[in-house]
């Protein structure tokens, strides 16, 4: 590879109003919005597919038949109105997650309990403590402006204490702590609760409307897209056509001309933009050097997660605050487990397929059976095969990846069997989503700050830098960490750019 991306030969040069880096839902929505408004766009994508962290994949069963699995993000909740409207606009259909029957709860002592309704079968004391913690979190959510969480009156104090320590400060009931923290720690941020702040946790809840919404699996895991969530990106990309260039990582981004007065000639330090540039957000001259094309434009949308910003060489380098802030944002770690069975055997037992167990290797499991045309049937209606999806987060995921493959599989299936019975030990297909091993993702589901980071640098994440805009689910307000948030951020970036290009 040439030492300078500017001198790489034989690449076509494209002139566009806007260049977008990243063909996930955020980047494609930005380009879609701009093109509908009459602006010329180009989207450069490192992967050989669109969709980013949404990905409709396949797995073969023991008979060689292929089954649809959603390797990445998949669910839509009722509050995600922008995504719901876009799905309808694109002519896609949705279906509800199966939820009829009883749920399973595994207590800290390993005992298995079958229950109905939304109240876990815990002691009255634990239930009262869980309710109290949820009420306290809802009160904090009501105090937060989800668009400006760093402006909350006690933001710095809440950002200085871990979510685990905040919960422990309000109760000494460990079962209540485990059952409440599961929805944010392992369930959303996919990090141990001692590694992120109470402020970050409150933002996660506020982005969904309330903490009560987060703990309601029937709300947060409501519907799926027929054919998979990646269908949204595929439809957007179809509209954009040849404006999407796949397999072309952005390597260098020229975005500003530094003031020569900032140079330190005595110490041979070139001119830079360490304190930023004037007129942030205004159109200027940008050039993106990617593996397949060079794109000149007036604005650029950086539509990749913040942990990947450093994969691009910025010329000149970004302002100092941006560079420091990005070093304190990181992905979590999660294994998404897909187990396919000849039929959804749990339903014959009167079970919904839903299970919870705070502190376990597998802390949550759901019925993820497909509906509508899929890889084993083109008929309408439900797939006759049963599919379970479950999740292994943070330190438990590290433990599982350290095991030999067969031992790892048996341990995971044993966890599923603890919830739903010995039949879970015998899937006809088994697949583990490993987003952390993907070069252009490096974790899941989305990024979050170290302790103290959100209150200190959060105000920077959605501000343009020169002619550069940022768009991804990681920096969303409503829909934070969800496809809805990505769609919102892409549209917002495009609308702001249109104001400058008008």
């Amino acid at each position: 590879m040439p030492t300078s991306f500017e001198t790489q030969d034989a690449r076509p040069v494209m002139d566009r109003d806007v260049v977008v880096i990243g063909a996930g839902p955020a980047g494609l929505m930005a380009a879609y919005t701009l093109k509908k408004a009459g602006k010329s766009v180009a989207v450069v994508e490192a992967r050989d597919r669109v969709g980013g962290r949404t990905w409709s994949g396949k797995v073969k069963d023991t008979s060689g038949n292929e089954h649809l699995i959603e390797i990445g993000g998949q669910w839509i909740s009722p509050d995600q109105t922008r995504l719901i409207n876009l799905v309808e606009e694109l002519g896609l259909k949705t279906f509800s997650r199966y939820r009829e029957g009883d749920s399973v709860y595994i207590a800290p002592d390993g005992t298995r309990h079958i229950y109905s309704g939304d109240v876990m079968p815990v002691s009255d004391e634990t239930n009262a403590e869980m309710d109290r913690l949820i009420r306290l979190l809802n009160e904090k959510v009501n105090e937060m402006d989800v668009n400006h969480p760093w402006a909350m009156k006690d933001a710095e104090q809440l950002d200085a204490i871990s979510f685990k320590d905040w919960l422990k400060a309000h109760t000494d009931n460990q079962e209540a702590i485990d059952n409440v923290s599961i929805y944010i720690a392992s369930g959303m941020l996919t990090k141990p609760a001692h590694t992120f702040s109470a402020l970050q946790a409150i933002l996660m809840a506020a982005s969904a409307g309330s903490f009560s919404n987060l703990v309601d699996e029937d709300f947060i895991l409501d519907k799926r897209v027929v054919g998979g969530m990646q269908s949204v990106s595929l439809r957007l990309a179809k509209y954009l056509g040849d404006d999407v260039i796949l397999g072309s990582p952005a390597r260098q981004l020229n975005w500003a001309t530094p003031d020569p007065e900032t140079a330190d000639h005595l110490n041979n330090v070139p001119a830079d933009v360490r304190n930023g540039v004037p007129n942030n957000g205004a159109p200027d001259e940008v050039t993106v050097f990617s593996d397949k094309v060079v794109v000149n434009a007036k604005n650029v949308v950086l539509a990749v997660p913040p942990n990947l910003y450093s994969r691009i060489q910025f010329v000149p380098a970004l302002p100092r605050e941006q560079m420091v802030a990005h070093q304190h944002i990181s992905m979590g770690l999660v294994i998404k487990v897909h187990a396919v069975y000849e039929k959804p055997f749990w339903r014959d037992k009167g079970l919904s397929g839903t299970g919870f167990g705070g502190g376990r290797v597998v802390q949550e499991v759901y019925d993820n059976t497909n509906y509508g045309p899929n890889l084993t049937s083109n008929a309408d209606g439900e797939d006759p095969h049963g599919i379970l999806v479950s999740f292994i987060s943070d330190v438990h995921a590290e433990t599982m990846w350290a095991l030999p493959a067969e031992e790892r599989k048996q341990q995971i299936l044993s966890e599923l069997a603890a919830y739903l019975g010995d039949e879970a030990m015998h899937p006809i297909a088994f697949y583990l989503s490993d987003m952390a091993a993907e070069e252009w993702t490096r974790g899941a589901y989305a990024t979050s700050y170290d302790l103290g980071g959100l209150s200190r640098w959060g105000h920077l994440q959605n501000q343009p830098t020169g002619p550069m805009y940022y768009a991804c689910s990681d920096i969303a307000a409503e829909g934070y960490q969800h496809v809805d948030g990505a769609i919102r951020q892409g549209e917002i970036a495009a609308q702001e750019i249109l104001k400058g290009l008008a």
Side-chain angles (χ1 to χ4, degrees):
M1 185 175 292
T3 56
S4 173
F5 296 109
E6 295 184 31
T7 60
Q8 196 171 356
D9 59 354
R11 287 173 300 178
V13 177
M14 307 169 67
D15 295 315
R16 296 289 189 271
D17 290 318
V18 182
V19 56
V20 179
I21 299 174
L28 292 171
M29 187 63 183
Y32 176 75
T33 304
L34 289 161
K35 188 170 182 176
K36 284 203 304 180
K39 303 302 179 184
S40 59
V41 297
V43 182
V44 293
E45 166 58 46
R47 297 178 175 90
D48 60 2
R49 62 171 178 84
V50 300
R53 284 167 275 178
T54 62
W55 186 4
S56 299
K58 60 182 79 171
V59 62
K60 279 188 178 181
D61 66 24
T62 51
S63 299
N65 296 315
E66 294 179 349
H67 299 263
L68 171 71
I69 55 173
E70 298 209 54
I71 296 173
Q74 63 174 75
W75 281 296
I76 306 175
S77 56
D79 64 314
Q80 295 173 1
T81 53
R82 188 61 193 95
L83 175 58
I84 291 170
N85 291 338
L86 179 64
V87 166
E88 182 177 347
E89 180 182 336
L90 296 175
L92 296 169
K93 296 181 179 179
T94 62
F95 65 101
S96 296
R97 178 179 65 86
Y98 185 85
R99 64 197 77 184
E100 296 180 17
D102 293 331
S103 301
V104 176
Y105 174 72
I106 300 182
D109 63 3
T111 56
R112 178 176 180 267
H113 305 269
I114 296 175
Y115 69 102
S116 59
D118 56 2
V119 179
M120 290 182 179
V122 296
S123 68
D124 290 342
E125 178 188 354
T126 296
N127 187 58
E129 288 300 279
M130 289 173 61
D131 285 346
R132 191 167 65 84
L133 291 173
I134 292 170
R135 185 174 65 254
L136 289 171
L137 285 163
N138 280 334
E139 289 173 0
K140 287 298 181 184
V141 166
N142 291 335
E143 295 174 11
M144 176 180 281
D145 175 357
V146 71
N147 290 289
H148 305 94
W150 46 86
M152 193 171 172
K153 65 178 181 180
D154 50 355
E156 289 189 18
Q157 293 91 329
L158 290 167
D159 210 21
I161 183 173
S162 74
F163 185 45
K164 179 179 180 180
D165 287 341
W166 186 90
L167 291 170
K168 290 174 70 174
H170 290 89
T171 184
D172 58 3
N173 187 309
Q174 190 60 48
E175 186 176 9
I177 290 173
D178 288 343
N179 288 341
V180 168
S181 65
I182 183 176
Y183 296 98
I184 289 182
S186 62
M188 288 295 176
L189 300 183
T190 62
K191 293 178 177 179
H194 67 269
T195 64
F196 60 88
S197 73
L199 184 69
Q200 189 83 61
I202 295 164
L203 171 60
M204 185 73 252
S207 72
S210 70
F211 193 82
S212 295
N213 285 345
L214 275 188
V215 304
D216 181 357
E217 73 274 8
D218 288 345
F219 180 90
I220 206 72
L221 310 179
D222 183 28
K223 294 184 182 297
R224 295 172 57 195
V225 176
V226 173
M229 183 66 79
Q230 190 187 5
S231 301
V232 173
S233 292
L234 291 169
R235 291 286 175 94
L236 292 173
K238 183 177 180 180
Y239 175 82
L240 294 166
D242 293 339
D243 293 328
V244 180
I245 301 98
L246 300 178
S248 190
R251 306 291 188 177
Q252 181 172 314
L253 170 54
N254 294 7
W255 64 278
T257 301
D259 181 351
E261 295 297 321
T262 62
D264 177 1
H265 299 293
L266 183 62
N267 293 297
N268 198 30
V269 177
D272 58 36
V273 293
R274 65 186 66 181
N275 294 317
V277 296
N279 303 315
N280 276 335
D284 202 347
E285 296 180 2
V286 301
T287 302
V288 170
F289 299 88
S290 71
D291 283 6
K292 291 184 178 179
V293 296
V294 176
V295 186
N296 298 315
K298 299 172 185 175
N299 288 97
V300 58
V301 178
L302 191 56
V304 298
N307 64 305
L308 297 183
Y309 291 170
S310 61
R311 297 300 304 278
I312 301 169
Q313 179 180 351
F314 294 89
V315 181
L318 291 174
R320 64 159 71 84
E321 278 190 308
Q322 286 282 1
M323 289 197 289
V324 172
H326 300 160
Q327 296 175 57
H328 295 269
I329 303 173
S330 61
M331 283 278 186
L333 179 64
V334 67
I335 302 172
K336 185 178 184 182
V337 181
H338 312 261
V340 183
Y341 300 88
E342 285 288 358
K343 65 175 185 176
F345 63 86
W346 50 92
R347 298 183 189 177
D348 295 337
K349 302 179 180 184
L351 299 175
S352 65
T354 299
F356 298 101
R360 297 184 64 84
V361 171
V362 172
Q363 299 192 58
E364 50 183 332
V365 57
Y366 305 99
D367 185 320
N368 211 41
T369 303
N370 290 319
Y371 183 93
N374 58 75
L375 295 170
T376 54
S377 171
N378 289 320
D380 289 334
E382 190 172 59
D383 187 343
H385 300 91
I387 302 178
L388 292 175
V389 64
S390 56
F391 302 91
I392 305 170
S393 294
D394 53 73
V395 294
H396 294 304
E398 291 173 355
T399 300
M400 288 297 102
W401 285 129
L403 296 176
E406 188 57 32
E407 182 179 350
R408 176 169 58 242
K409 179 180 179 180
Q410 291 306 308
Q411 284 208 24
I412 294 171
L413 291 177
S414 294
E415 287 282 315
L416 297 183
Y419 288 102
L420 300 172
D422 289 342
E423 298 95 328
M425 294 296 299
H426 308 290
I428 59 174
F430 183 78
Y431 186 90
L432 303 180
S433 296
D434 185 11
M435 305 299 279
E438 290 188 37
E439 182 179 5
W440 303 109
T441 303
R442 300 192 172 191
Y445 307 111
T447 61
S448 52
Y449 286 93
D450 297 343
L451 288 177
L454 179 57
S455 62
R456 182 177 176 185
W457 296 297
H459 67 284
L460 296 172
Q461 63 188 19
N462 290 312
Q463 289 183 9
T465 305
M468 184 190 325
Y469 287 79
Y470 304 94
C472 57
S473 64
D474 313 73
I475 57 175
E478 295 176 81
Y480 169 50
Q481 293 217 352
H482 292 92
V483 179
D484 179 76
I487 295 297
R488 290 176 187 271
Q489 290 303 116
E491 187 171 48
I492 289 169
Q495 289 170 342
E496 290 301 312
I497 287 172
L498 287 170
K499 293 176 184 178
L501 294 177

